[in-house]
Amino acid sequence: MQSGPILNISCYLFVSLADTAALRDRLESHALALNLKGTVLIAEEGINLFLAGPADAVNAWVDGLRADPRFAPLTPKESWSAMQPFQRLKVKVKPEIIRMNRPAIRPDQAPRAPALAPATLLRWLDQGHDDDGREVVLLDTRNGFEVDQGAFDGAVDWRLDKFSDFPDALAAHRDELAGKTVVSYCTGGIRCEKAAMVLAEQGLHAWQLDGGILKYFEDTGGKHYHGNCFVFDDRRGVNADLTPT
């Protein structure tokens, strides 16, 4: 349900890009013309963006992006706010759109790790196990301060300081997850695109929550989740109906 005049979108796409500098200039120019604010990160592995503004302006920018066939699959997650949650526009070229410091982990160059629909996770949590009767473990891949604002009930939290700490934390705790169905999750799904690949490399039975917490809120209403979901803008957090907290 719409609440406020400002449309907030977030989305990412792992896709190989060879023209990052030119793409940056084009996307920045269009966003400035539409008076949008937020952050757009571009790397050889894809794009990750958070933008906000009047709905017609946001939608015009997304339509322009999707006109490039490489970005046609983009499906932004939407929420609304009374105020612009970003102070300025930043469009940057980075080595990674989500930093893990593991160059071999390239979701744009490998099959996607198995993704679990929010409705399926809800059903598993309601019944207390997956469809094969295996124990389900929810693994939070976010930073500790994000987890402190809200998380799934009983989720594993390794108190990460930054996402690049995840592989080493997994190596230290891998045996605790063996024999279980591990569902990794994060805010919007991007961290788990890489985390789930590392989990699979370690021989674990792992899934990633498709669309992350925000999509779970949208599709299920947030059952089995306590607190809010931290977001990296001036809203600081959203609750299960995706309104700012």
Side-chain angles (χ1 to χ4, degrees):
M1 179 181 298
Q2 181 173 343
S3 177
I6 300 299
L7 174 61
N8 303 270
I9 63 167
S10 64
C11 62
Y12 66 88
L13 183 68
F14 284 99
V15 57
S16 297
L17 302 174
D19 58 340
T20 54
L23 183 62
R24 176 211 172 276
D25 293 345
R26 175 165 60 86
L27 297 184
E28 181 182 51
S29 177
H30 195 195
L32 286 171
L34 293 167
N35 197 30
L36 300 179
K37 296 180 180 179
T39 300
V40 181
L41 302 179
I42 302 165
E44 291 181 0
E45 66 181 6
I47 189 169
N48 184 22
L49 64 94
F50 307 84
L51 283 177
D56 56 350
V58 173
N59 290 331
W61 189 88
V62 172
D63 288 344
L65 181 58
R66 282 189 181 139
D68 183 328
R70 296 173 297 179
F71 301 112
L74 277 173
T75 54
K77 290 180 283 293
E78 298 184 351
S79 60
W80 299 85
S81 60
M83 304 292 291
Q84 169 61 259
F86 297 101
Q87 299 296 319
R88 58 196 176 107
L89 175 70
K90 295 184 288 185
V91 185
K92 297 183 176 181
V93 174
K94 294 281 191 176
E96 299 176 84
I97 57 173
I98 185 68
R99 183 179 175 186
M100 186 183 252
N101 294 336
R102 294 294 175 106
I105 301 297
R106 286 285 299 264
D108 62 310
Q109 297 178 353
R112 191 184 187 207
L116 189 69
T120 303
L121 177 61
L122 174 60
R123 178 166 56 80
W124 285 3
L125 296 178
D126 281 345
Q127 67 193 23
H129 53 79
D130 71 6
D131 292 335
D132 296 321
R134 188 184 288 110
E135 178 185 353
V136 174
V137 176
L138 286 159
L139 176 59
D140 203 317
T141 68
R142 299 174 299 160
N143 300 330
F145 72 89
E146 298 173 75
V147 180
D148 290 341
Q149 188 164 136
F152 278 98
D153 300 336
V156 173
D157 166 26
W158 289 333
R159 306 310 298 169
L160 301 176
D161 290 326
K162 54 188 181 301
F163 181 58
S164 56
D165 293 337
F166 178 83
D168 288 340
L170 173 59
H173 294 277
R174 185 243 177 241
D175 291 347
E176 300 166 16
L177 304 176
K180 302 173 182 178
T181 291
V182 182
V183 180
S184 64
Y185 73 90
C186 56
T187 306
I190 187 171
R191 281 175 271 197
C192 290
E193 297 283 358
K194 293 187 175 182
M197 292 177 69
V198 178
L199 287 163
E201 281 188 348
Q202 291 294 316
L204 296 167
H205 185 68
W207 298 80
Q208 56 181 318
L209 176 59
D210 204 13
I213 299 166
L214 297 179
K215 184 63 174 173
Y216 184 84
F217 281 177
E218 180 181 341
D219 288 359
T220 73
K223 185 180 180 183
H224 300 290
Y225 188 99
H226 59 271
N228 305 313
C229 178
F230 182 90
V231 291
F232 289 90
D233 57 52
D234 286 352
R235 294 173 297 170
R236 309 311 292 170
V238 297
N239 58 25
D241 64 6
L242 298 178
T243 57
T245 58

